[in-house]
Amino acid sequence: MAPKSLTPEEALQRRWGYSAFKPLQRKAVEAALSGRDCLVVLPTGGGKSLCYQLPAAMGRGLVLVVSPLIALMDDQVAAAREAGVAADSLHSNLESGRRGEAYRRLAAGKTEILYVSPERLLMGDLLEDLAPRLVLAAVDEAHCVSHWGHEFRPEYRRLAEILERVPKAARMALTATATPAVQEDVCAQLALRDPARFIGHPDRANLIYRAFPRRDQLSQVLSVLRRHPGEGGIVYAQTRKDVERLAGAIAAEGISCAPYHAGLPAEDRRRAQDDFVNERLDVVAATIAFGMGIDRSNVRCVLHANTPRSVEHYQQESGRAGRDGLPAECVLLFAASDLAAHRGLALKDGPLAPERQRALERQLRDIGRYGVAPVCRHRLLAEHFGAAYPPDGKEHQEGGCQACDVCLGETKSLPAEEAMLTAKKVLSGAWRAEGRFGTGYVVNLLLGRADERMRRGGHDALQVFGILKESGEAAVRSWIDQLIVQGFLEVAEEREYPLLRITETGKTLCRNEGSVRLGVPAPPAARAKRKPKALRAVSAGVPVDEDLFDRLRRLRRLIADKTGVPPYVVFHDSALVEMAALKPLTLDALRQVKGVGERKLERYGAAFLDVIAGTPPESAATTLKN
Ligand code: ADP
């Protein structure tokens, strides 16, 4: 094992094989080393774990990590051990033999980092033993402490009280998604003492965001998945029934896919999760029950077949794509009816208190706007979390981020005048239908498709009849959704079915007061069919040998099977991509690849060099040291 008196940079290089810190990591490490409390908000993939693992690796004392993700702890321990840090965990899922070992190592003062579940810590007996050596108490997923957050956990509220017993240890609260209000709440609830705040920019530059109106859910889902053959993907759907239907239909297309939702037997869920993490399964179709415990870093697409509940949920769920920093794609299929379904669910037990009701409406409005506004989606997300976009204070370049459907020209914004004219046509259709009909009726009216009911009411003689015939049903439906989200139309659930109505603001707009934005999805044929530039090249501009990449991936799978850790713990895709481009031939050259630390070099280096030199992965794997 490496000597203890390392500088942070040396520890980073030797243990993890990284030559530079990611933004704010160094500051967080420094705060921890100097005993200062801090709040760390970094997006997924921003490198939060290193902020507390590194002080542990520097041998300054014991680091305690409180994490609600029991399912992940084993992987985190494995990953820390791969970097040569003496890691253990204590939680209710641990088998007794391993628990005994963990206690023995702890008592012998050998443990450098200890992961515990909040429940385990709250039992209260641990801290007496830990106190003398404890230098840092890190609370991961710290947004769980806040009512304002999206995953409130009551047991987190008691953490401050228990941490009082180790006043000398610095506290570090970490989270990926926190609006400024949640950040405040986290500091207060965890009783951080004059904390340093390290708030990273929330943007995930490697993600391509797309939001399209939902038309034919299955074919839209399939067209995204087909862009990612053999790669990891998650398809989120609203209900268990949707999940089953989609999983079946995706699998029927020959794509390796399993369903996951809370109604399935525990054994099926465990297998789906295990297979996905270990890359034996490409796609999981799931409700949002799936994902909390998933750390697979090479998920290349996250697709929402239904609109999520809030932007926070969307950021969290879509954030599971591309943790390794390589390009990945997040697609949302939007329908305003999903928002009505969320509202219905929230209100199913009766009306909410006014404050909660307002919060709900705000959440639905924000995610609705994200789903339809013809505005750069990276910008919308950043601004939602209180950050400016682009991150570095530069002007938005011509062509925008080049990483969302709007900036890529797949969704076009109508020029202001045309948007106004179009909106007025749609609104007058709804106005003339007098709020007595559903969306389908108004769509037919605008498209000039008369049925018996319409003729009886004389609506086929109205001026608005067929006024948007040329635009087609998909566009008209999408415009109605866009106008709902902007508050010009509303859906009223008065009778047994929802009725579409013009609002007062909508009437005002018809008098040319106010402004409106409308987007139109470009026809599918015009959209980018190309695969995201995932494995095309690495930073040095050297082309990646994709065939070699596949062989390296096979070797990684064999090693993972042999050692019982997930493939991404052995090496991330980013390290394999770099190997497949630079093709290092010596251990020294291999050491230069990002993510190759001393321990991994020693254990796996020779096998990877063999494969780079042309040995089949299956033979290379036989030479591995245990
Ligand atoms: P988070 O918990 O913030 O989502 P992780 O701690 O899982 O992020 O780190 C994301 C990825 O970035 C991991 O693969 C990690 O090994 C890698 N990483 C962390 N720090 C660095 C660094 N300084 N340079 C390069 N890669 C890093």
Side-chain angles (χ1 to χ4, degrees):
M1 215 166 270
K4 298 285 172 182
S5 53
L6 301 173
T7 65
E9 277 74 15
E10 284 166 345
L12 183 70
Q13 177 65 54
R14 291 211 196 169
R15 300 294 187 94
W16 282 272
Y18 298 137
S19 51
F21 281 104
K22 291 197 181 203
L24 300 177
Q25 276 181 331
R26 178 76 159 92
K27 289 197 159 130
V29 168
E30 267 166 25
L33 292 176
S34 68
R36 169 125 194 236
D37 287 3
C38 67
L39 169 70
V40 180
V41 183
L42 287 177
T44 308
K48 283 183 289 300
S49 0
L50 219 115
C51 299
Y52 51 76
Q53 286 176 348
L54 201 125
M58 291 175 65
R60 298 295 177 87
L62 177 65
V63 172
L64 180 75
V65 185
V66 185
S67 163
L69 306 176
I70 296 185
L72 270 189
M73 275 191 206
D74 291 342
D75 290 350
Q76 285 167 338
V77 167
R81 287 184 182 165
E82 286 292 317
V85 185
D88 266 311
S89 65
L90 289 174
H91 55 79
S92 52
N93 281 5
L94 208 62
E95 46 174 272
S96 66
R98 290 186 48 204
R99 185 175 309 141
E101 284 169 27
Y103 279 121
R104 268 195 296 283
R105 278 191 289 265
L106 203 56
K110 292 198 175 132
T111 316
E112 291 173 314
I113 189 164
L114 179 70
Y115 289 84
V116 289
S117 58
E119 294 79 5
R120 178 65 193 86
L121 188 66
L122 289 172
M123 285 181 189
D125 56 324
L126 264 183
L127 281 178
E128 321 297 288
D129 297 339
L130 305 185
R133 287 188 56 228
L134 192 65
V135 289
L136 176 67
V139 179
D140 208 358
E141 311 290 340
H143 58 274
C144 293
V145 79
S146 173
H147 265 309
W148 309 111
H150 49 284
E151 283 161 345
F152 175 59
R153 301 251 182 155
E155 64 277 16
Y156 259 56
R157 280 283 161 111
R158 292 179 48 216
L159 286 177
E161 165 197 320
I162 205 118
L163 293 177
E164 287 303 319
R165 297 197 212 161
V166 280
K168 287 209 190 106
R171 296 175 197 172
M172 182 186 279
L174 305 104
T175 178
T177 22
T179 55
V182 174
Q183 294 167 18
E184 277 317 306
D185 208 21
V186 167
C187 292
Q189 298 296 338
L190 291 175
L192 301 189
R193 300 150 297 186
D194 179 29
R197 291 161 195 246
F198 306 118
I199 314 294
H201 198 280
D203 186 50
R204 302 271 317 273
N206 62 317
L207 300 187
I208 297 182
Y209 292 106
R210 294 186 158 100
F212 298 121
R214 185 165 70 235
R215 286 200 299 270
D216 176 351
Q217 190 185 50
L218 178 62
S219 67
Q220 287 175 294
V221 165
L222 288 173
S223 78
V224 176
L225 293 178
R226 288 197 183 110
R227 283 204 284 267
H228 302 277
E231 298 180 339
I234 306 175
V235 179
Y236 283 112
Q238 183 68 23
T239 64
R240 297 173 185 186
K241 233 169 78 193
D242 292 337
V243 164
E244 300 274 354
R245 180 177 50 79
L246 281 171
I250 294 168
E253 292 293 312
I255 297 171
S256 112
C257 178
Y260 187 106
H261 59 70
L264 289 172
E267 174 55 24
D268 292 2
R269 273 182 286 151
R270 200 198 47 73
R271 189 171 340 109
Q273 172 158 337
D274 233 48
D275 286 350
F276 184 68
V277 165
N278 289 296
E279 299 187 11
R280 294 186 293 265
L281 176 68
D282 290 339
V283 177
V284 176
T287 59
I288 58 169
F290 182 75
M292 264 299 254
I294 302 299
D295 229 356
R296 178 168 169 178
S297 63
N298 59 356
V299 173
R300 296 268 77 88
C301 69
V302 173
L303 230 149
H304 281 73
N306 293 92
T307 317
R309 241 188 307 170
S310 69
V311 176
E312 278 81 359
H313 281 89
Y314 189 61
Q315 176 89 346
Q316 181 94 11
E317 289 150 22
S318 63
R320 294 178 182 130
R323 294 177 71 111
D324 53 11
L326 295 176
E329 172 175 35
C330 306
V331 181
L332 188 162
L333 302 180
F334 178 82
S337 55
D338 292 339
L339 302 183
H342 285 306
R343 187 179 292 107
L345 216 61
L347 298 175
K348 74 176 188 320
D349 299 324
L352 300 174
E355 189 194 346
R356 295 269 310 279
Q357 178 72 40
R358 274 196 299 277
L360 172 71
E361 292 307 327
R362 207 170 37 239
Q363 278 178 4
L364 296 179
R365 187 201 60 205
D366 289 352
I367 188 66
R369 183 185 307 147
Y370 176 84
V372 299
V375 174
C376 170
R377 301 197 198 281
H378 279 270
R379 157 170 290 187
L380 282 177
L381 287 176
E383 290 180 352
H384 182 86
F385 291 100
Y389 188 85
D392 39 18
K394 285 194 203 126
E395 283 292 300
H396 210 65
Q397 308 235 329
E398 183 145 359
C401 65
Q402 282 302 298
C404 77
D405 58 307
V406 179
C407 295
L408 289 168
E410 299 165 7
T411 293
K412 299 233 187 276
S413 188
L414 292 184
E417 257 173 49
E418 196 182 335
M420 187 64 146
L421 200 65
T422 307
K424 280 176 19 190
K425 288 180 183 169
V426 177
L427 292 175
S428 29
W431 205 346
R432 299 311 300 265
E434 296 167 69
R436 291 188 292 120
F437 300 94
T439 303
Y441 186 92
V442 176
V443 169
N444 285 337
L445 179 65
L446 292 165
L447 291 175
R449 296 195 298 217
D451 61 3
E452 194 40 45
R453 191 166 51 144
M454 205 178 285
R455 282 192 209 101
R456 239 184 297 127
H459 282 164
D460 58 341
L462 292 173
Q463 254 190 359
V464 291
F465 182 76
I467 199 171
L468 287 172
K469 203 190 297 177
E470 309 301 319
S471 306
E473 177 168 348
V476 172
R477 280 192 178 272
S478 164
W479 288 328
I480 290 179
D481 276 354
Q482 297 180 42
L483 292 169
I484 294 174
V485 164
Q486 294 174 69
F488 299 116
L489 288 173
E490 67 183 1
V491 177
E493 302 256 3
E494 258 169 33
R495 286 192 257 146
E496 65 279 16
Y497 59 84
L499 305 175
L500 187 68
R501 272 197 199 142
I502 185 165
T503 61
E504 285 310 312
T505 354
K507 291 180 185 168
T508 317
L509 192 75
C510 286
R511 292 193 291 269
N512 281 336
E513 290 170 35
S515 64
V516 60
R517 303 188 69 143
L518 287 182
V520 265
R527 283 193 212 137
K529 284 236 175 61
R530 73 197 149 86
K531 200 170 140 97
K533 53 191 176 196
L535 304 176
R536 290 285 147 87
V538 288
S539 47
V542 185
V544 174
D545 180 338
E546 298 222 12
D547 187 50
L548 175 57
F549 174 77
D550 284 339
R551 280 182 283 130
L552 294 170
R553 214 174 137 184
R554 244 166 49 221
L555 173 64
R556 180 177 66 175
R557 267 289 305 281
L558 293 165
I559 295 176
D561 287 346
K562 206 162 172 171
T563 53
V565 300
Y568 67 80
V569 168
V570 177
F571 279 124
H572 285 297
D573 277 15
S574 42
L576 300 194
V577 167
E578 206 171 316
M579 289 182 207
L582 301 178
K583 303 187 184 175
L585 295 175
T586 62
L587 285 173
D588 261 346
L590 187 59
R591 196 198 305 272
Q592 306 305 316
V593 170
K594 272 208 212 74
V596 182
E598 279 184 357
R599 199 176 134 86
K600 289 186 182 180
L601 190 73
E602 188 188 320
R603 294 183 81 187
Y604 315 130
F608 279 88
L609 287 179
D610 284 351
V611 170
I612 293 168
T615 311
E618 289 69 21
S619 343
T622 58
T623 65
L624 281 170
K625 294 183 204 153
N626 272 320

